[in-house]
Amino acid sequence: KKKLKISGRELVSVPAQVFGLDQLQVLEMSPERESCLRYRMELLPREIGHLRNLTCLYLDSNNLKKIPAEIGTLGHLERLTLSNNSLSSLPPEMGALQRLHSLHLANNSLTELPAPLCQLRSLTFLDVSDNKIGTIPSSIRQLEKLETLLLLFNSLESLPEDVCLLRNLRTLWLGNNHLQSLPASFGELVNLDWAYSYCSCNFEGNPLENPPPEVCSRGPKEIRDYFLSFHRT
């Protein structure tokens, strides 16, 4: 089999037979979203490293507290979903996943953006919403291909200038943090969509000044108009 979905109301572990499927490409152990279930698997076995051909690994809505170092051996992995777990850290070995382009970490217990993530040069989608992240490391500038960065519902008090070097960003959600200002170079993120019908840059729930002078002095007029309309609402 190339694709396998494991489900069960009381799922607590991975059947040992799975790790013998060395041609497996897609492994899904997440409950269906509409089912409102949450599995109870707390540990991803080290044997996950045997599945060297995996391209997609779905582990949302479990109770995972730790990811084994062997995750770094999955050199073909392109998509990894770990949202809605109990993770407070990630292994440094994750930095070896150089084909990874989509990583979901929303609703965990992360307090910082783990350094290994900034080594993932192929990453185009990163969701770390609803954690307790208070700072963004300067090494984030290494994510040259990043197009989507979701940081909603965290504890950010400032946004580093390094984020403004992510010139391929198309979607940046920063709602419900503690941001009071933005970097002077924020307006240089010219690929962000400032259309009124759908804005790819979200700031709702932050105590931002109106309008942020360091932003309105640079970048397109649409940025200033966005903040003015955002303040009125």
Side-chain angles (χ1 to χ4, degrees), residues 19-136:
F19 302 118
L21 303 175
D22 55 5
Q23 297 303 309
L24 196 63
Q25 294 179 353
V26 179
L27 177 56
E28 183 173 353
M29 291 180 286
S30 300
E32 300 291 344
R33 291 184 179 182
E34 59 270 18
S35 71
C36 298
L37 291 178
R38 187 178 185 121
Y39 294 165
R40 298 189 300 164
M41 186 166 56
E42 296 186 2
L43 178 66
L44 182 64
R46 297 172 57 183
E47 287 79 8
I48 192 69
H50 295 172
L51 304 179
R52 299 293 177 89
N53 288 301
L54 275 185
T55 59
C56 298
L57 179 57
Y58 300 95
L59 293 164
D60 295 312
S61 299
N62 279 276
N63 193 29
L64 293 173
K65 295 178 170 59
K66 186 178 180 181
I67 301 298
E70 285 74 12
I71 194 80
T73 65
L74 303 181
H76 293 282
L77 203 60
E78 298 176 359
R79 183 177 177 87
L80 176 60
T81 67
L82 294 167
S83 297
N84 304 316
N85 279 287
S86 301
L87 299 170
S88 58
S89 64
L90 296 174
E93 289 79 6
M94 277 190 64
L97 302 178
Q98 290 303 309
R99 294 193 184 184
L100 197 67
H101 61 71
S102 181
L103 179 58
H104 298 238
L105 291 165
N107 194 23
N108 276 282
S109 299
L110 300 172
T111 57
E112 61 183 2
L113 201 60
L117 302 192
C118 298
Q119 302 172 25
L120 304 176
R121 300 297 179 86
S122 295
L123 208 60
T124 61
F125 182 97
L126 175 59
D127 183 1
V128 286
S129 302
D130 204 2
N131 280 279
K132 301 174 184 177
I133 295 172
T135 58
I136 300 176

